[in-house]
């Protein structure tokens, strides 16, 4: 029955997988907090305009990938394809621009109608960092350093390359845009249909094309570096100098452009070769124009997003969960005592498993299956002496312990 399958491009995160996701998010949240980034959450759906206006009518995300629907009240709604626009919307809605700079961390599901493959889903998850209200290149350095620290803590950094580029300021982009229009105009015949449309509306985006023919033409395209203004070059040099100072290696990639229209100056991606063509694990850049485009006060910003599924494919095993204490009643007499003891131990902070039925043999089997560390056996004889039997499931030793001492004897296994 097809309705019992998950929708194409979505997946269930069973406990082992969810543990890897949680590990990624917890690590990122902890390190972001050290950098002074506070956690924020915005709604999973927004008015379509929140994304269509800033993300740009010519990007793949808006033209092909958005989950958009009209709700029962006739509102045009979109499931968020990325975090930045929603967070900037929240900053404007809540009048937060009085207290700049703002530093945010966020994590949650995103939705894009894409062709599903390894590392590419229709519902996926991102961690996201935004630094809003700081025009200085030091802000770019900070968010990149934060990204590198998170990847390092996850054991991934050494398997990635940081690719860095500048998209310059408005004047640089204007000059470069004209150069690109001239160049692509001479190669019209070889361009994909999508890129011909981009040529009319936003030629910079042709550089981002995944079409093989476009890629060949892109190899000969003019380089942005030749069109940078003095100011834009100075900004880029400061970012590079800061990364050098922090020993964060990078490779300047002149062809790196972000998929979204509102980026300027710094653009960067941490890329790995370990995930086939889904190699970008973390990408971001500066978006000084975004707040203004969305109708708020002109406010600079810089940030990045990373795909949790892709990070989870690369991380080392997450730290193991606490091994449970298993409480086992022996015979009728032990049942009530076991129920109460399990309750008390859980309230005292222990991870406790209490089976619902079965004899001692079956319960011991289950204890092994769930990798329990110790078993507490409660039988009639022991209970008459106000005691229980403590069995070390690793060492195989066992001893009788007074109930009053149980919590302290179990303390090493908490
Ligand atoms: P790609 O070039 O792989 O399509 P993108 O440029 O569309 O990536 P961004 O919009 O910058 O990606 O999103 C940031 C990160 O989110 C990506 O680097 C990637 O790790 C992750 N990501 C993007 N789209 C998906 C998806 N459909 N499934 C899983 N992860 C994704
Ligand atoms: Mg994409």
């Amino acid at each position: 029955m097809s309705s019992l399958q998950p929708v194409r491009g979505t997946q269930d995160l069973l406990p082992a997988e969810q543990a890897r996701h949680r590990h990624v998010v917890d690590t990122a949240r902890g390190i972001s907090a050290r950098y002074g980034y506070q956690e924020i959450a915005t709604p999973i759906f927004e008015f379509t305009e929140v994304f269509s206006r800033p993300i740009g009518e010519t990007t793949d995300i808006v033209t092909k990938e958005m989950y958009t629907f009209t709700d029962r009240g006739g509102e045009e709604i979109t499931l968020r394809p990325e975090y930045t626009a929603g967070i900037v919307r929240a900053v404007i809605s809540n009048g937060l621009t009085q207290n700049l700079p703002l530093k945010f961390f966020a994590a949650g599901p995103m939705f894009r109608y894409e062709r599903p493959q390894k590392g590419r889903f229709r519902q996926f998850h991102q961690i996201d960092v935004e630094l809003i209200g700081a025009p200085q290149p030091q802000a770019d350095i900070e968010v990149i350093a934060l990204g590198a620290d998170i990847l390092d803590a996850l054991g991934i950094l050494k398997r990635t390359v940081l690719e860095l580029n500048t998209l310059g300021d408005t004047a640089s982009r204007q000059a470069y845009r004209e150069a690109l229009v001239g160049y692509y105009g001479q190669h019209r015949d070889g361009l994909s249909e999508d890129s011909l449309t981009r040529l009319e509306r936003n030629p910079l985006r042709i550089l981002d094309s995944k079409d093989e023919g476009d890629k060949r033409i892109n190899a000969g395209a003019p380089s942005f570096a030749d069109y940078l203004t003095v100011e834009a070059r100075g900004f880029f040099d400061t970012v590079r100098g800061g990364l050098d100072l922090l020993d964060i290696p990078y490779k300047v990639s002149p062809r790196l452009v972000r998929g979204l229209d509102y980026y300027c100056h710094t653009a960067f991606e941490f890329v790995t070769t370990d995930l086939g063509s889904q190699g970008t694990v973390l990408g971001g850049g500066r978006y000084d124009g975004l707040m203004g485009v969305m109708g708020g006060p002109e406010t600079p910003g810089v940030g990045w997003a990373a795909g949790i599924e892709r990070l989870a494919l690369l991380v080392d095993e997450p730290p193991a969960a606490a091994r449970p204490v298993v409480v086992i009643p022996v015979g009728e007499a032990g049942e009530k005592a076991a129920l109460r003891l399990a309750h008390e131990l859980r309230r005292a902070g222990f991870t406790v498993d209490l089976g619902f039925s079965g004899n001692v043999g079956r319960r011991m089997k289950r204890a092994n299956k769930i990798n329990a560390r110790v078993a507490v056996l409660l039988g009639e004889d022991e209970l008459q002496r106000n005691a229980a039997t403590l069995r070390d499931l690793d060492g195989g030793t066992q001893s009788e312990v007074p109930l009053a001492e149980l919590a302290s004897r179990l303390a090493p296994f908490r």
Side-chain angles (χ1 to χ4, degrees):
M1 209 167 131
S2 72
S3 61
L4 289 184
Q5 295 299 316
V7 173
R8 184 168 147 80
T10 69
Q11 56 176 350
D12 303 309
L13 296 171
L14 299 181
E17 192 58 20
Q18 176 65 0
R20 301 173 82 86
H21 278 226
R22 183 128 306 264
H23 173 54
V24 168
V25 175
D26 289 349
T27 302
R29 179 187 290 118
I31 295 174
S32 300
R34 271 196 247 148
Y35 278 71
Y37 289 66
Q38 292 183 303
E39 187 159 7
I40 188 174
T42 62
I44 283 172
F45 53 86
E46 301 264 0
F47 292 120
T48 297
E49 232 193 4
V50 168
F51 305 112
S52 62
R53 208 173 339 150
I55 296 180
E57 302 290 348
T58 61
T59 63
D60 285 353
I61 292 183
V62 169
T63 53
K64 299 187 210 137
E65 297 176 0
M66 288 205 316
Y67 273 93
T68 297
F69 59 97
T70 310
D71 75 6
R72 288 168 193 274
E75 303 286 6
E76 283 298 311
I77 300 293
T78 293
L79 302 184
R80 65 183 181 198
E82 56 121 46
Y83 237 129
T84 311
I87 290 178
V88 169
R89 196 272 310 139
V91 168
I92 301 170
S93 308
N94 294 285
L96 303 182
T97 47
Q98 304 303 313
N99 293 304
L100 301 176
L102 299 161
K103 296 178 167 196
F104 293 125
F105 167 81
M110 302 294 153
F111 305 85
R112 296 185 193 177
Y113 194 82
E114 302 204 64
R115 196 167 68 77
Q117 49 201 292
K118 186 183 177 195
R120 190 177 295 284
F121 304 91
R122 291 182 175 176
Q123 174 174 336
F124 63 101
H125 299 78
Q126 285 184 340
I127 50 175
D128 182 280
V129 154
E130 310 293 349
L131 170 44
I132 295 170
Q136 299 85 356
Q138 285 73 18
D140 308 49
I141 298 166
E142 180 173 285
V143 297
I144 294 173
L146 171 53
D149 266 0
I150 292 170
L151 294 178
D152 194 30
L154 291 170
I156 295 174
L157 186 64
K158 287 198 169 62
R159 297 161 72 184
T160 66
V161 172
L162 167 59
E163 299 192 354
L164 186 73
N165 193 20
T166 175
L167 307 180
D169 48 18
T170 315
S172 320
R173 270 202 309 286
Q174 195 77 34
Y176 185 47
R177 189 191 158 101
E178 278 163 28
L180 285 180
V181 170
Y183 173 78
Y184 289 124
Q186 290 166 0
H187 294 84
R188 276 182 166 277
D189 294 348
L191 287 178
S192 68
E193 210 153 298
D194 280 348
S195 286
L196 284 172
T197 315
R198 294 178 186 129
L199 182 54
E200 303 296 319
R201 304 168 82 165
N202 185 356
L204 236 93
R205 295 220 45 258
I206 300 176
L207 294 168
D208 199 18
S209 173
K210 293 183 175 87
D211 179 87
E212 290 305 321
D214 290 348
K215 280 188 188 168
R216 274 193 296 277
I217 295 175
N218 282 338
S223 175
F224 207 159
D226 300 330
Y227 297 87
L228 289 178
T229 60
V230 174
E231 294 77 22
R233 179 170 301 284
F235 192 101
F236 193 41
D237 288 344
T238 307
V239 173
R240 295 177 57 172
L243 295 177
D244 291 338
L245 192 72
L246 301 181
D247 289 324
I248 299 172
Y250 57 86
K251 188 180 116 209
V252 175
S253 301
R255 302 270 173 261
L256 174 69
V257 291
R258 302 293 307 145
L260 307 179
D261 288 349
Y262 50 73
Y263 283 102
C264 62
H265 288 298
T266 319
F268 58 92
E269 287 184 349
F270 286 86
V271 183
T272 171
T273 50
D274 297 351
L275 292 177
S277 55
Q278 272 57 252
T280 304
V281 292
L282 184 157
R286 178 165 280 280
Y287 50 82
D288 292 351
L290 177 60
M291 183 93 70
V293 168
M294 292 188 68
E298 287 295 339
T299 309
V302 58
W304 52 255
I308 298 176
E309 282 76 3
R310 292 185 198 178
L311 294 173
L313 283 168
L314 296 169
V315 285
D316 307 329
E317 262 329 288
R323 292 174 64 186
V325 172
V326 64
V327 176
I328 298 179
V330 183
E332 274 295 309
E335 293 284 350
K336 277 187 182 149
L339 180 63
R340 208 171 69 198
L341 179 66
H343 185 65
E344 281 167 8
L345 289 176
R346 284 167 176 157
R347 287 171 55 92
F350 292 94
T351 302
V352 177
D353 186 82
L354 174 64
F356 301 119
S357 66
N359 59 24
V360 174
R362 277 188 58 179
R363 287 173 190 260
M364 285 306 294
K365 260 197 198 131
R366 176 169 162 81
N368 282 326
K369 204 167 150 195
I370 63 173
N371 195 27
R373 179 65 184 81
V374 278
V376 180
L377 293 116
L378 296 162
E380 202 171 350
D381 294 353
E382 293 109 307
L383 285 170
Q384 269 169 7
R385 293 190 293 272
N386 261 325
T389 299
L390 198 65
R391 189 180 296 176
D392 184 325
L393 297 175
D394 284 357
T397 54
Q398 69 175 42
S399 57
E400 191 171 301
V401 177
L403 287 176
E405 284 172 30
L406 205 51
S408 62
R409 287 287 295 276
L410 286 171
F413 310 121
R414 198 194 300 259

